[in-house]
Amino acid sequence: MSPKLRLTCPECGQANQFPRDKAGAAPKCGICGHALNDGKVAPVDFRTLEKMAKSDGLPLLVDFWAPWCGPCRAMAPEFEKAAKALAPHVRLAKIDTQSHPDATVRYNIRGIPAFILFAEGREVARLAGARPAADVVRFVQEKLTLIA
Ligand SMILES: [Zn+2]
Protein backbone atom coordinates (compact mmCIF):
# COMPACT_ATOMS: atom_id res chain seq x y z
CA MET A 1 0.00 0.00 0.00
CA SER A 2 1.40 3.32 -1.06
CA PRO A 3 0.94 6.11 1.50
CA LYS A 4 -1.56 8.82 0.60
CA LEU A 5 -0.49 12.07 -0.97
CA ARG A 6 -2.58 15.17 -0.38
CA LEU A 7 -2.61 17.90 -3.02
CA THR A 8 -4.81 20.97 -3.18
CA CYS A 9 -6.27 21.78 -6.59
CA PRO A 10 -4.78 25.11 -7.74
CA GLU A 11 -7.94 25.82 -9.73
CA CYS A 12 -10.82 25.14 -7.30
CA GLY A 13 -9.04 24.71 -3.94
CA GLN A 14 -10.34 21.18 -3.36
CA ALA A 15 -8.06 18.91 -1.32
CA ASN A 16 -7.39 15.71 -3.26
CA GLN A 17 -5.86 12.51 -1.94
CA PHE A 18 -4.36 9.68 -3.93
CA PRO A 19 -1.56 7.10 -3.56
CA ARG A 20 1.84 8.75 -3.34
CA ASP A 21 3.30 6.58 -6.10
CA LYS A 22 0.79 8.20 -8.49
CA ALA A 23 2.25 11.70 -8.00
CA GLY A 24 3.90 11.57 -11.42
CA ALA A 25 0.97 9.92 -13.20
CA ALA A 26 -0.84 13.14 -14.21
CA PRO A 27 -3.30 13.24 -11.27
CA LYS A 28 -6.43 15.32 -11.81
CA CYS A 29 -8.76 17.11 -9.40
CA GLY A 30 -11.75 14.95 -8.46
CA ILE A 31 -14.03 18.00 -8.49
CA CYS A 32 -13.04 20.18 -11.46
CA GLY A 33 -10.73 17.90 -13.45
CA HIS A 34 -7.83 20.38 -13.41
CA ALA A 35 -4.32 18.86 -13.52
CA LEU A 36 -2.82 18.64 -10.04
CA ASN A 37 0.81 18.06 -10.91
CA ASP A 38 1.55 18.66 -14.59
CA GLY A 39 4.88 20.53 -14.42
CA LYS A 40 3.26 23.88 -15.20
CA VAL A 41 3.14 27.00 -13.05
CA ALA A 42 -0.36 27.23 -11.54
CA PRO A 43 -1.88 30.68 -10.96
CA VAL A 44 -3.51 30.69 -7.52
CA ASP A 45 -5.52 33.04 -5.33
CA PHE A 46 -4.74 33.83 -1.72
CA ARG A 47 -7.11 31.30 -0.15
CA THR A 48 -5.82 28.45 -2.31
CA LEU A 49 -2.23 29.45 -1.67
CA GLU A 50 -2.80 29.24 2.08
CA LYS A 51 -4.29 25.76 1.74
CA MET A 52 -1.50 24.53 -0.51
CA ALA A 53 1.22 25.94 1.74
CA LYS A 54 -0.29 24.42 4.88
CA SER A 55 -1.45 20.99 3.86
CA ASP A 56 0.07 19.74 0.60
CA GLY A 57 2.14 16.57 0.53
CA LEU A 58 4.61 17.88 -2.04
CA PRO A 59 6.95 20.86 -1.66
CA LEU A 60 5.60 24.06 -3.19
CA LEU A 61 7.50 27.00 -4.67
CA VAL A 62 5.46 30.19 -5.06
CA ASP A 63 6.28 33.19 -7.22
CA PHE A 64 4.93 36.47 -5.82
CA TRP A 65 4.64 38.76 -8.82
CA ALA A 66 2.59 41.59 -10.35
CA PRO A 67 1.66 42.58 -13.90
CA TRP A 68 3.33 46.02 -13.54
CA CYS A 69 6.67 44.49 -12.54
CA GLY A 70 9.01 44.20 -15.56
CA PRO A 71 11.50 41.81 -13.91
CA CYS A 72 8.57 39.59 -12.85
CA ARG A 73 7.32 39.35 -16.43
CA ALA A 74 10.84 38.65 -17.70
CA MET A 75 11.18 35.94 -15.07
CA ALA A 76 7.93 34.14 -15.99
CA PRO A 77 9.35 31.89 -18.76
CA GLU A 78 12.28 30.95 -16.50
CA PHE A 79 9.88 30.00 -13.73
CA GLU A 80 7.95 27.83 -16.21
CA LYS A 81 11.19 26.08 -17.16
CA ALA A 82 11.96 25.49 -13.49
CA ALA A 83 8.47 24.00 -13.00
CA LYS A 84 9.12 21.50 -15.78
CA ALA A 85 12.56 20.62 -14.37
CA LEU A 86 11.27 20.08 -10.81
CA ALA A 87 8.17 18.04 -11.75
CA PRO A 88 6.75 15.79 -10.43
CA HIS A 89 8.54 16.23 -7.08
CA VAL A 90 7.85 19.92 -6.49
CA ARG A 91 4.85 22.02 -7.55
CA LEU A 92 5.24 25.62 -8.69
CA ALA A 93 2.55 28.28 -8.35
CA LYS A 94 2.33 32.02 -8.83
CA ILE A 95 0.22 34.64 -7.15
CA ASP A 96 -0.55 38.08 -8.56
CA THR A 97 0.10 40.38 -5.59
CA GLN A 98 -1.78 43.23 -7.27
CA SER A 99 -5.02 41.20 -7.32
CA HIS A 100 -4.25 39.51 -3.98
CA PRO A 101 -2.62 42.10 -1.71
CA ASP A 102 -3.52 39.91 1.31
CA ALA A 103 -0.73 37.58 0.24
CA THR A 104 1.84 40.41 0.36
CA VAL A 105 0.84 41.21 3.92
CA ARG A 106 0.49 37.61 5.11
CA TYR A 107 3.92 36.58 3.82
CA ASN A 108 5.59 39.92 4.45
CA ILE A 109 6.73 40.41 0.86
CA ARG A 110 8.91 43.53 0.56
CA GLY A 111 9.89 43.36 -3.09
CA ILE A 112 8.96 41.31 -6.13
CA PRO A 113 9.59 38.97 -7.70
CA ALA A 114 9.98 36.96 -4.51
CA PHE A 115 9.87 33.19 -4.15
CA ILE A 116 8.90 31.18 -1.10
CA LEU A 117 9.50 27.48 -0.78
CA PHE A 118 7.04 25.57 1.41
CA ALA A 119 7.35 21.97 2.53
CA GLU A 120 5.62 19.88 5.18
CA GLY A 121 3.25 22.69 6.05
CA ARG A 122 5.77 25.42 6.68
CA GLU A 123 7.99 27.98 5.00
CA VAL A 124 11.43 26.55 4.28
CA ALA A 125 13.29 29.31 2.45
CA ARG A 126 13.00 32.48 0.37
CA LEU A 127 14.67 33.78 -2.73
CA ALA A 128 14.39 37.35 -4.00
CA GLY A 129 14.80 38.84 -7.45
CA ALA A 130 14.59 37.59 -11.04
CA ARG A 131 17.03 34.85 -12.01
CA PRO A 132 17.50 32.05 -14.57
CA ALA A 133 15.62 28.75 -14.26
CA ALA A 134 18.80 26.85 -13.35
CA ASP A 135 19.30 29.04 -10.26
CA VAL A 136 15.72 28.44 -9.14
CA VAL A 137 16.09 24.68 -9.56
CA ARG A 138 19.39 24.65 -7.65
CA PHE A 139 17.89 26.74 -4.83
CA VAL A 140 14.97 24.33 -4.41
CA GLN A 141 17.14 21.21 -4.56
CA GLU A 142 19.61 22.57 -2.00
CA LYS A 143 16.93 23.64 0.47
CA LEU A 144 15.00 20.39 0.19
CA THR A 145 18.17 18.38 0.81
CA LEU A 146 18.59 20.28 4.08
CA ILE A 147 15.15 19.30 5.40
CA ALA A 148 15.14 15.73 4.05
ZN1 LIG B 1 -10.23 21.37 -8.80
Side-chain angles (χ1 to χ4, degrees):
M1 272 267 293
S2 174
K4 290 273 192 234
L5 178 68
R6 183 186 164 109
L7 287 181
T8 305
C9 175
E11 184 69 22
C12 74
Q14 171 71 28
N16 286 261
Q17 282 201 346
F18 49 90
R20 184 166 277 275
D21 58 11
K22 296 278 191 287
K28 287 193 175 8
C29 174
I31 300 294
C32 76
H34 193 272
L36 292 175
N37 194 19
D38 61 355
K40 290 181 187 152
V41 178
V44 294
D45 62 21
F46 177 54
R47 220 170 56 92
T48 305
L49 169 62
E50 289 261 275
K51 270 190 165 178
M52 292 173 88
K54 269 185 209 139
S55 57
D56 277 8
L58 286 180
L60 173 72
L61 181 68
V62 182
D63 175 9
F64 292 79
W65 75 288
W68 51 262
C69 161
C72 297
R73 292 199 309 270
M75 173 77 206
E78 294 301 311
F79 202 61
E80 285 288 351
K81 274 188 226 167
K84 202 172 271 180
L86 290 163
H89 308 294
V90 181
R91 294 207 296 173
L92 273 65
K94 61 178 177 184
I95 184 155
D96 175 351
T97 56
Q98 186 176 309
S99 303
H100 305 284
D102 287 2
T104 311
V105 178
R106 165 71 176 83
Y107 295 102
N108 196 20
I109 302 296
R110 301 219 173 96
I112 52 173
F115 308 93
I116 303 183
L117 177 64
F118 299 94
E120 291 164 12
R122 62 185 178 88
E123 177 177 335
V124 173
R126 291 185 180 217
L127 190 64
R131 58 197 66 235
D135 287 12
V136 175
V137 171
R138 199 174 312 123
F139 162 77
V140 170
Q141 286 171 339
E142 278 175 13
K143 296 301 174 188
L144 291 181
T145 311
L146 294 178
I147 64 158

